Amino acid sequence: MRKDQRLSRILHILVHMEAHKEPVTSRQISEMLTTNPVVVRQLMGRLRECGYVRTTQGRSGGWTLHRALKDITFLEIYQIFGETSLFTIGLTDEHSDCLIEKSINAELETAMDEAGALLLARFNVLTLDRLKRGFPA
């Protein structure tokens, strides 16, 4: 199963943006992430709609942060892009009448729900400024 990398990629972009004094273009971001500028514009457009970044037009235009990293939590960014599955472990339903399978699914679901709640609680207290610790200004 393919992993959803949007959260880590968006966090990466936002921390880089703070380091730049000038607006960052979609092309620059796409080169950072090794992806297409169209994909970047889609991601950044969603962040703009939610008030995290803004755009400037013209020759020196591009994307800039609208909020300080210290005021943005991991959870906020996670929620913007549709709360995807936190885990790649899946439940089976091939033998839905099988009591063993039902028992396994129930235990796995409970464990994943508990772990997910802990992870989201942690996301809610982690701010993006934490990501730049240990790096030169």
Side-chain angles (χ1 to χ4, degrees):
M1 177 179 236
R2 200 169 167 183
K3 295 182 181 179
D4 186 338
Q5 298 174 336
R6 286 180 300 176
L7 178 62
S8 61
R9 297 185 102 186
I10 294 300
L11 297 175
H12 183 174
I13 292 167
L14 294 172
V15 174
H16 267 288
M17 287 176 68
E18 187 188 67
H20 289 270
K21 303 298 182 220
E22 301 295 322
V24 182
T25 67
S26 296
R27 178 164 300 289
Q28 288 172 307
I29 295 170
S30 72
E31 289 170 2
M32 268 187 263
L33 300 178
T34 316
T35 193
N36 190 300
V38 172
V39 172
V40 169
R41 284 190 286 277
Q42 291 171 342
L43 294 172
M44 299 304 287
R46 185 74 181 114
L47 288 170
R48 181 184 54 219
E49 290 169 10
C50 296
Y52 293 93
V53 300
R54 59 182 156 204
T55 55
T56 54
Q57 302 298 317
R59 173 167 260 191
S60 61
W63 302 96
T64 58
L65 283 176
H66 189 61
R67 291 180 50 193
L69 295 181
K70 68 179 182 60
D71 298 326
I72 305 171
T73 68
F74 281 43
L75 184 61
E76 291 172 305
I77 303 304
Y78 171 73
Q79 290 172 331
I80 286 172
F81 293 98
E83 299 175 21
T84 60
S85 175
L86 291 169
F87 307 106
T88 59
I89 298 170
L91 306 178
T92 61
D93 60 1
E94 295 172 10
H95 309 288
S96 58
D97 293 334
C98 178
L99 295 177
I100 294 171
E101 185 170 18
K102 287 180 181 182
S103 177
I104 291 167
N105 285 345
E107 290 302 323
L108 285 174
E109 189 170 28
T110 298
M112 288 187 294
D113 287 348
E114 290 172 359
L118 285 171
L119 183 58
L120 293 178
R122 181 73 175 143
F123 278 7
N124 196 38
V125 298
L126 289 174
T127 56
L128 274 60
D129 63 326
R130 177 183 183 87
L131 299 173
K132 64 181 187 171
R133 292 181 188 165
F135 294 102

